[in-house]
Amino acid sequence: MNGYMQDPLVKLGFFVVVSCAYTATIVASKPPGIVRLLSSFPVILFFIVAPLQFEKVSLAGGFGFIFTWLANFKLLAFSAGRGPLAHPGLNGLQFCLMLLLPFYTTKGSQAAHAVSVTAALSVKVAATGALTVLLTSEAGSGMSTLARHFCYALYIYLFVSLLLDSLIPLGVHALRGAPLQPAMEAPFMSRSVREFWGRRYNQIVSCALYDVVYLPVLQGSWVTPPSWHIKGRKGVSKSRKLLALTAAFLVSGLMHEVCVWYMCRQLSGGGRLMLFFALQPAIIAVEEALKAQLPPAVRAARWFSVVEVVVTLAAVLMSAEQLFWAPLEMCHVDRRGLGEMMELMGSIKSRVWGV
């Protein structure tokens, strides 16, 4: 038994089961508010420490993202009576699956479908493999910095999509009655930076930030006040909405810094990731102010939608050029991660084809 417990995955699995049982029984029995929040702290602390078990950047970063960010944010939202863990009708197993896996109940009318997600995943797996081979080849080494960073952006889109959507078929089957949010909704078709972050790119994180940061700031209360169910957003000032949006981006920046720290085991980039996300609300404000000055006929023209897509992608990618990629490259997360992926692909190839 002691030998088995030396294996990081076995040890992690044991404490995950204990944490899940504690959350489903003890934490869930408390009323929303400070008591439920305080009772969640042991599990929150475990989810913060858990990724430190791993040295590989893919495992440390992946578990940091799923546990320290997503699972802890679900617990924080649950302490306020919000989020996927507060979805009515979840049994004990469903509650644990919702906590541990990268699922979030949909924030709109479009829920994830197992068949469509599975079909898309096969394409993304092939694209990720091809991009891995390209970036580790001589051709990849000879790329310009701009071209390489563009490939990195595409790679992260594919990797995050695979990480979040690969278990959707299981979730759709096991969590019937709880419609699940798709992770990606064609972010390359975004017509504004607000739409890119808020409605298309990594919507699991968007949902988590909405429940834990945006909504509490908007409401001025951790637990939704009774008056909110009557008034809703009516009467909320533009400055309060901007404050909530900025807070959500700042917390996103902080959590990206945390995930990179798990992979590097050091602070990398001098706060550039924080600055990248702090810059996004300013880009949104400038973009919307400029669009408001345009004649309605221009904004309604078909060609203008194409311009919007190009400008949106350019704004996101160019702001990332000096701020997002530098922290990853300084501690070689990019090359280490690609090396681990090549190692995985080689292992699969040898098992399947015996080569």
Side-chain angles (χ1 to χ4, degrees):
M1 180 66 180
N2 290 334
Y4 282 112
M5 288 302 291
Q6 296 306 312
D7 187 313
L9 286 176
V10 173
K11 188 188 300 183
L12 178 67
F14 173 77
F15 284 108
V16 162
V17 171
V18 172
S19 298
C20 190
Y22 171 82
T23 305
T25 55
I26 306 300
V27 177
S29 67
K30 309 300 181 185
I34 188 66
V35 175
R36 183 181 285 181
L37 178 61
L38 291 175
S39 66
S40 301
F41 276 0
V43 183
I44 290 173
L45 181 60
F46 165 68
F47 284 148
I48 291 173
V49 174
L52 297 175
Q53 296 285 322
F54 304 99
E55 294 295 331
K56 289 189 174 183
V57 296
S58 52
L59 292 176
F63 279 110
F65 175 60
I66 292 174
F67 282 175
T68 306
W69 192 342
L70 292 185
N72 275 345
F73 272 47
K74 291 175 190 178
L75 284 171
L76 291 172
F78 185 55
S79 74
R82 289 191 292 268
L85 298 180
H87 189 81
L90 294 179
N91 60 37
L93 177 59
Q94 291 174 325
F95 183 93
C96 288
L97 288 175
M98 189 69 83
L99 170 64
L100 300 174
L101 298 179
F103 300 146
Y104 221 94
T105 47
T106 180
K107 60 181 178 179
S109 58
Q110 184 176 359
H113 297 283
V115 175
S116 59
V117 168
T118 303
L121 284 175
S122 60
V123 175
K124 291 175 181 177
V125 167
T128 302
L131 200 54
T132 301
V133 172
L134 172 63
L135 288 170
T136 54
S137 67
E138 290 186 12
S141 300
M143 283 182 178
S144 67
T145 301
L146 195 63
R148 188 171 183 84
H149 287 171
F150 178 80
C151 289
Y152 282 173
L154 180 58
Y155 197 93
I156 287 183
Y157 158 72
L158 291 168
F159 181 79
V160 172
S161 184
L162 288 172
L163 180 66
L164 296 179
D165 282 343
S166 59
L167 294 173
I168 282 290
L170 168 65
V172 170
H173 177 75
L175 299 170
R176 291 177 181 176
L180 300 180
Q181 174 67 42
M184 302 287 184
E185 296 191 28
F188 43 82
M189 296 299 292
S190 303
R191 295 175 59 180
S192 69
V193 177
R194 182 188 292 274
E195 181 183 346
F196 178 87
W197 293 115
R199 294 193 291 276
R200 289 190 179 273
Y201 185 81
N202 201 342
Q203 290 307 284
I204 309 299
V205 162
S206 179
C207 289
L209 290 169
Y210 179 84
D211 282 338
V212 175
V213 184
Y214 186 86
L215 202 54
V217 173
L218 208 63
Q219 295 172 343
S221 173
W222 182 244
V223 179
T224 301
S227 59
W228 183 263
H229 298 295
I230 301 173
K231 296 180 181 179
R233 298 193 183 193
K234 296 178 181 178
V236 177
S237 65
K238 288 185 178 180
S239 59
R240 175 61 72 92
K241 292 178 181 179
L242 179 60
L243 177 63
L245 181 68
T246 303
F249 273 112
L250 289 175
V251 172
S252 180
L254 174 62
M255 296 310 299
H256 276 82
E257 295 276 9
V258 169
C259 288
V260 171
W261 183 86
Y262 280 127
M263 292 185 283
C264 299
R265 293 296 196 270
Q266 63 183 30
L267 294 175
S268 180
R272 283 181 173 87
L273 285 170
M274 280 289 293
L275 185 55
F276 169 73
F277 286 98
L279 188 61
Q280 301 308 304
I283 294 175
I284 290 172
V286 170
E287 177 190 47
E288 292 179 349
L290 291 175
K291 283 185 180 180
Q293 302 301 315
L294 296 174
V298 173
R299 296 200 301 268
R302 288 186 177 181
W303 60 265
F304 187 66
S305 62
V306 177
V307 173
E308 287 179 308
V309 170
V310 172
V311 170
T312 296
L313 294 179
V316 174
L317 292 173
M318 293 311 296
S319 61
E321 187 59 27
Q322 295 298 324
L323 298 176
F324 192 90
W325 305 118
L328 303 181
E329 293 174 326
M330 285 179 179
C331 66
H332 308 295
V333 164
D334 54 337
R335 300 192 182 279
R336 289 163 60 199
L338 288 168
E340 290 172 9
M341 184 61 72
M342 284 295 291
E343 183 182 332
L344 175 63
M345 289 168 59
S347 176
I348 294 173
K349 183 179 178 181
S350 65
R351 288 177 179 271
V352 175
W353 287 288
V355 178

